[in-house]
Amino acid sequence: MESASTVTNGSAHLRVASVNVNGIRAAFRRGMADWLEARDIDILCLQEVRAPDDVVHALLGGSWHVVHAEAADKGRAGVAIASKLQPTASRLHIGDEYFATAGRWVESDFAVPASTGGTTTFTVASAYVHSGGAGTPKQEDKYRFLDAMTARLPQLQATSDHALVVGDFNVGHTERDIKNWKGNLKKSGFLPGEREYFDRFFGDIGWADVARRLAGDVDGPYTWWSWRGKAFDNDTGWRIDYHMATETLADSAVDAVVDRASAYDQRFSDHAPLVVDYRF
């Protein structure tokens, strides 16, 4: 079941993809299976799955090890990690019992080959942060979840050789991450209080924004565009999907690609997959 890309010259070469599928059944109806077949992915992280466990397994097929945190609210949220490598352990929520059945966080641990011989521990989390709403209870939940992330990140650093948190974080960190940032200064997703969390994630807490590091100081590349209007055609998007890695893992990233569809009618979600190759 292990992918051919998993081991290269005795060390790990892993391709990790993250995508908010906006409902896995709808995504597969729109052609997600064709994308997946062509991408040779080792670890696939999904958000907003919005389907029961049996449906997720049936759609992905038997070639994946699947760990799925289904939301108690049917038809909402849900996150999953599908891997060609078998996890050594998995956890289905972030640690705060308030979110135990929210379907917004799942973790898997892997033992992967190390360049120096033996194996190294690699932990991956798939996260779906609340969309929020300024001045609403949904925003309070969003801040509470970001607080839980703030607590969990140092724990992952301390317990794994390499750790990676990916997913739809529903926050644009800087002005480079939103095409129309001036028009969104007072909206959830670009509020100063939200962005301060990311200052800490990528600052004092010591994690790295892998895609930004590889892309440099440029606009985007965006990962989400509204279904409405001409947002996709005009590339009026948001960069709200992340690979957030511990420093040594970030240093091993060799390529990051947003798999933006060639045309509006070729999209299988309102998000595009973010695919990163790691060698370590």
Side-chain angles (χ1 to χ4, degrees):
M1 188 177 287
E2 295 184 3
S3 167
S5 67
T6 299
V7 178
T8 304
N9 296 326
S11 63
H13 172 205
L14 295 178
R15 177 166 291 169
V16 182
S18 177
V19 58
N20 178 321
V21 293
N22 197 9
I24 193 169
R25 285 171 286 203
F28 268 75
R29 286 196 301 270
R30 296 183 180 118
M32 179 178 169
D34 294 335
W35 166 79
L36 190 56
E37 183 178 359
R39 278 308 252 136
D40 193 24
I41 292 163
D42 297 295
I43 300 175
L44 173 68
C45 297
L46 305 176
Q47 302 88 43
E48 208 172 353
V49 173
R50 294 196 279 135
D53 200 56
D54 58 338
V55 170
V56 175
H57 281 80
L59 287 173
L60 289 173
S63 63
W64 297 92
H65 299 282
V66 179
V67 181
H68 175 216
E70 183 179 348
D73 292 338
K74 301 302 180 184
R76 299 183 62 83
V79 289
I81 299 173
S83 58
K84 297 300 177 70
L85 292 168
Q86 184 168 3
T88 59
S90 294
R91 294 162 294 278
L92 297 180
H93 71 89
I94 196 168
D96 183 340
E97 289 298 321
Y98 183 77
F99 299 114
T101 61
R104 291 186 177 273
W105 184 278
V106 63
E107 295 175 10
S108 287
D109 301 329
F110 302 92
V112 299
S115 59
T116 55
T119 60
T120 186
T121 57
F122 180 42
T123 298
V124 179
S126 179
Y128 177 41
V129 178
H130 304 64
S131 57
T136 72
K138 290 182 179 180
Q139 191 67 27
E140 295 173 11
D141 281 351
K142 185 174 188 175
Y143 283 132
R144 181 165 179 169
F145 193 84
L146 290 169
D147 284 335
M149 287 180 65
T150 302
R152 185 61 182 145
L153 292 177
Q155 295 169 355
L156 291 175
Q157 287 169 306
T159 56
S160 188
D161 295 328
H162 305 283
L164 178 67
V165 179
V166 305
D168 176 6
F169 294 175
N170 265 313
V171 176
H173 182 205
T174 75
E175 296 169 6
R176 290 292 202 186
D177 297 322
I178 301 179
K179 183 68 169 286
N180 181 24
W181 64 268
K182 290 182 180 179
N184 288 282
L185 287 169
K186 296 182 179 180
K187 296 181 181 178
S188 183
F190 202 58
L191 295 172
E194 297 172 334
R195 296 162 61 198
E196 287 172 2
Y197 281 92
F198 287 73
D199 291 341
R200 279 183 279 164
F201 294 162
F202 303 133
D204 293 343
I205 297 179
W207 289 61
D209 182 346
V210 176
R212 171 57 65 217
R213 179 175 290 188
L214 291 173
D217 188 23
V218 299
D219 291 339
Y222 307 123
T223 61
W224 176 85
W225 305 261
S226 172
W227 287 115
R228 300 188 299 272
K230 295 289 185 178
F232 184 79
D233 294 339
N234 296 331
D235 200 25
T236 305
W238 295 52
R239 192 182 75 94
I240 54 176
D241 300 271
Y242 292 80
H243 278 227
M244 182 165 60
T246 49
E247 277 291 337
T248 54
L249 180 62
D251 288 343
S252 78
V254 295
D255 191 40
V257 177
V258 175
D259 280 356
R260 189 180 190 274
S262 58
Y264 177 92
D265 61 2
Q266 299 299 308
R267 307 167 72 191
F268 63 78
S269 172
D270 52 352
H271 293 253
L274 176 58
V275 184
V276 180
D277 289 343
Y278 298 92
R279 292 184 184 271
F280 54 94

